[in-house]
Amino acid sequence: MKTLSTVGIILIVGGLLLAIYGYELCANFICLGSHCPSCETAEPISRLTIYIGIAVMLGGVGFLVYSWRK
């Protein structure tokens, strides 16, 4: 069961990094006016990346808890 806990920890860290990357995806654009088309086009992709990162983290938590209960 050490393998499952290792996989769980890797998934938690990877999902955290993916969620942070999705959160910071739009932060690199500099918007000088009230309309910023590059941020608006990147927003759905960044939200999807955040949600996928959270799902991966929850899967990692599931693996970790399952390895503890066995």
Side-chain angles (χ1 to χ4, degrees):
M1 289 303 158
K2 186 168 176 68
T3 306
L4 281 179
S5 60
T6 305
V7 169
I9 291 171
I10 290 171
L11 285 176
I12 291 171
V13 171
L16 180 66
L17 292 175
L18 191 63
I20 290 172
Y21 174 72
Y23 182 72
E24 295 292 327
L25 193 62
C26 192
N28 293 331
F29 297 112
I30 298 173
C31 302
L32 299 176
S34 61
H35 182 69
C36 183
S38 37
C39 282
E40 291 172 1
T41 57
E43 187 173 343
I45 296 170
S46 64
R47 283 188 183 175
L48 181 67
T49 308
I50 292 170
Y51 293 147
I52 289 173
I54 292 172
V56 169
M57 281 191 325
L58 290 177
V61 169
F63 274 118
L64 197 60
V65 169
Y66 182 74
S67 71
W68 286 343
R69 297 191 47 95
K70 279 288 184 171

